[in-house]
């Protein structure tokens, strides 16, 4: 269930003491430089560095060696059981930190320690509970991702995540970042059930914390190897589905209903002698309109109040789906002519591919919050019985650990 916390006022005293939490897995060669640069960046602050180590090498021993001569307190917690992966290590660090103001950063030096003061300064403005270092706002840089493939995967994952949580992540350009500051007093740690890398996503999805961002130049890895893998990708997708299973599953269900209707219309028309291309066009138009009506009622009902007018939503959705259909139907025809498969099977395959594009577009564009006029800024949001029911259903769907 999303955690509700009282906002911190701008005049409230900001705690200056900070714990830097560094989850590590076989990062021995980075420890000394990370501690030196972090200590220099936090000169003048009451600070500590807390490593939470899941390594199979001697990273923990290296932390203890470096700690003996470090200018700030340095501790290490070595976990024999790395439950929850990197995200689980961060939760352990949040519970063991000496200070309530915590900054999470990776141990591979791709997160520049020199950015620590900027995170603290932005938090001191008093209008945020989380400050994230973003690669995707002005002044940010993604060159440390390396290959175009890694950049593409990162951006696709970010788009998918924001599409799953278009309201809660509306102010987050980089919910996948692992470099962020959080006020621990604003968290209910037992409710966090992270799996894999993306602990910030877990925090933002399960709470209503206010987020601010500072630009980050994502650096190249100095030593060791990336922990990203197909297994980690599968873990991320599974965790994302667990956090926001309801919205995407309803969208998929309506898509399945539309696909079945589309296939049924095609079958009936082709059986009546209509050419399959024309049958596909008629089936697409009927299901586009039907899907929009069902999505309005059951999938995006919680987003309609802040979105643009109904006719704008319909026009945008109708135009996108027709463009998508205009591209999809020739591909379907190509499959029929070159693969010599049935038109019904080709349509089914093309609809599966189109599903993800449709979901992303509707979540991020069709139902994106509209910009309110300045004169409306002070007006209270309407609170109807329907919205209250939707919030209650959403609260149930967001209970921790629910699959």
């Amino acid at each position: 269930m999303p955690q509700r916390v009282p906002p911190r006022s701008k005049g409230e005293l900001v705690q200056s003491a900070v714990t830097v939490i560094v989850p590590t897995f076989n990062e021995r060669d980075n420890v000394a430089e990370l501690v030196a640069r972090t200590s220099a960046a936090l000169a003048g602050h009451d600070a500590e560095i807390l490593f939470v180590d899941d390594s199979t090498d001697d990273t923990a021993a290296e932390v203890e060696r470096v700690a003996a001569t470090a200018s700030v307190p340095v501790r290490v917690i070595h976990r024999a059981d790395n439950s929850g992966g990197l995200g689980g290590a961060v939760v352990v660090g949040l519970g063991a930190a000496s200070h309530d103001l915590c900054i999470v950063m990776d141990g591979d030096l791709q997160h520049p320690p020199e950015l620590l003061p900027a995170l603290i300064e932005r938090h001191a403005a008093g209008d945020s509970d989380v400050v994230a270092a973003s690669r995707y706002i002005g002044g940010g840089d993604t060159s440390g991702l390396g290959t175009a493939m890694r950049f593409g995967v990162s951006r696709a994952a970010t788009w998918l995540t924001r599409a799953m949580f278009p309201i809660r992540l509306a102010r987050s350009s980089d919910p996948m970042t692992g470099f962020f500051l959080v006020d621990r007093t604003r968290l209910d740690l037992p409710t966090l059930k992270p799996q894999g890398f993306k602990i910030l996503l877990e925090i933002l999805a399960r709470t209503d914390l206010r987020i601010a961002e500072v630009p980050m130049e994502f650096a190249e890895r100095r030593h060791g190897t990336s922990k990203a893998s197909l297994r980690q990708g599968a873990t991320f997708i599974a965790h994302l589905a667990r956090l926001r299973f309801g919205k995407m599953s309803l969208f998929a269900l309506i898509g399945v209903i539309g696909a079945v209707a589309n296939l049924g219309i095609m079958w009936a028309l082709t059986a009546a002698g209509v050419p399959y291309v024309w049958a596909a066009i008629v089936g697409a138009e009927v299901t586009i309109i039907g899907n929009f009506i069902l999505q309005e009622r059951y999938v995006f009902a919680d987003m309609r109040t802040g979105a643009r007018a109904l006719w704008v939503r319909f026009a945008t959705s109708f135009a996108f789906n027709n463009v998508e259909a205009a591209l999809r139907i020739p591909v379907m025809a190509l499959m029929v002519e070159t693969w010599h498969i049935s038109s019904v099977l080709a349509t089914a395959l093309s609809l599966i591919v189109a599903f993800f594009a449709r979901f992303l577009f509707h979540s991020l564009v069709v139902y994106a919050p509209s910009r309110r006029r300045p004169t409306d800024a002070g007006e209270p949001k309407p609170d109807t019985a329907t919205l209250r029911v939707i919030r209650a259903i959403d609260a149930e769907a967001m209970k921790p650990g629910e699959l």
Side-chain angles (χ1 to χ4, degrees):
M1 179 176 180
Q3 177 192 352
R4 298 289 176 181
V5 293
R8 176 169 53 86
S9 66
K10 291 188 177 182
E12 185 178 334
L13 181 64
V14 177
Q15 182 176 335
S16 59
V18 62
T19 294
V20 178
I21 300 171
V22 186
T24 52
F25 181 79
N26 296 345
E27 301 287 359
R28 179 190 185 280
D29 294 335
N30 295 320
V31 170
E33 182 179 352
L34 187 147
V35 170
R37 290 171 61 185
T38 300
S39 301
L42 294 177
H45 290 273
D46 181 8
E48 69 163 345
I49 305 172
L50 174 59
F51 288 85
V52 184
D53 182 55
D54 294 334
S55 299
T56 57
D57 63 5
D58 59 347
T59 296
E62 175 67 4
V63 172
E64 292 177 345
R65 184 191 70 79
V66 171
T69 57
S71 59
V72 300
V74 178
R75 293 189 288 141
V76 61
I77 298 173
H78 181 72
R79 300 198 304 167
D81 177 19
N82 61 345
S83 175
L86 181 146
V90 172
V91 173
V92 169
L94 290 169
S98 299
H99 309 298
D100 287 332
L101 202 61
C102 298
I103 298 178
V104 178
M105 63 184 296
D106 288 349
D108 56 13
L109 293 173
Q110 291 190 286
H111 296 159
E114 291 72 22
L115 196 59
L116 292 168
L119 294 171
I120 297 172
E121 181 180 356
R122 180 63 186 86
H123 179 260
D127 60 352
S128 61
D129 309 300
V130 176
V131 181
S134 173
R135 297 163 288 184
Y136 302 123
I137 60 174
D141 183 76
T142 60
S143 58
L145 287 171
T147 65
M149 175 65 74
R150 284 194 66 194
F151 173 79
V153 170
S154 175
R155 287 302 280 164
T158 299
W159 288 332
L160 179 60
T161 302
R162 295 188 65 206
M164 295 286 268
F165 299 95
I167 295 178
R168 291 178 192 170
L169 301 184
R171 296 184 178 275
S172 175
S173 67
D174 194 1
M176 314 297 286
T177 183
F179 193 8
F180 62 92
L181 175 153
V182 63
D183 181 351
R184 181 178 62 176
T185 64
R186 307 286 163 174
L187 297 175
D188 182 8
L189 295 182
T191 67
L192 299 179
K193 306 292 182 183
Q195 293 292 328
F197 284 45
K198 307 307 177 185
I199 181 62
L200 179 60
L201 170 61
E202 173 82 11
I203 290 173
L204 296 179
R206 292 200 186 278
T207 69
D208 60 350
L209 299 188
R210 301 165 301 165
I211 184 171
E213 295 183 325
V214 298
M216 169 179 63
E217 294 184 5
F218 194 61
E220 295 183 2
R221 170 179 280 275
R222 295 294 186 88
H223 304 285
T225 58
S226 172
K227 309 306 184 295
S229 64
L230 288 176
R231 181 178 180 181
Q232 286 293 338
T235 299
F236 162 68
I237 293 295
H239 186 53
L240 185 62
R242 178 164 67 92
L243 285 172
R244 178 78 283 183
F245 191 71
K247 187 176 290 295
M248 196 172 193
S249 65
L250 283 175
F251 190 90
L253 178 60
I254 290 171
V256 169
I257 294 172
V260 172
N262 195 333
L263 295 175
I265 293 170
M266 273 198 66
W267 176 83
L269 292 178
T270 53
V274 177
Y276 69 83
V277 172
W278 286 106
I281 292 173
V282 173
E285 295 301 318
V286 172
T287 53
I288 283 172
I289 297 172
N291 282 1
F292 177 80
I293 294 171
L294 292 175
Q295 289 159 11
E296 274 277 304
R297 175 64 179 83
Y298 296 107
V299 181
F300 300 107
D302 59 336
M303 299 171 62
R304 292 182 308 192
T305 301
R308 291 169 293 181
L310 174 62
W311 71 269
V312 177
R313 298 197 300 271
F314 175 77
T316 307
S317 175
F318 189 80
F320 174 84
N321 282 298
N322 274 284
V323 170
E324 178 270 322
L327 296 175
R328 177 172 54 80
I329 290 175
V331 172
M332 178 269 293
L334 183 63
M335 287 191 289
V336 171
E337 301 298 334
T338 58
W339 294 356
H340 305 294
I341 61 177
S342 73
S343 60
V344 172
L345 176 58
T347 301
L349 292 174
S350 65
L351 287 172
I352 292 172
V353 175
F355 163 76
F356 292 99
R358 289 177 177 176
F359 179 77
L360 288 171
F361 185 84
H362 281 76
S363 242
L364 297 178
V365 179
V366 177
Y367 292 92
S370 62
R371 294 183 178 179
R372 293 175 62 87
R373 299 188 305 273
T375 55
D376 296 334
E379 295 179 4
K381 295 181 179 179
D383 187 23
T384 66
T386 300
L387 288 175
R388 289 193 293 271
V389 171
I390 290 169
R391 286 198 297 269
I393 294 173
D394 184 65
E396 289 299 314
M398 289 299 298
K399 283 185 176 178
E402 201 167 330
L403 288 174

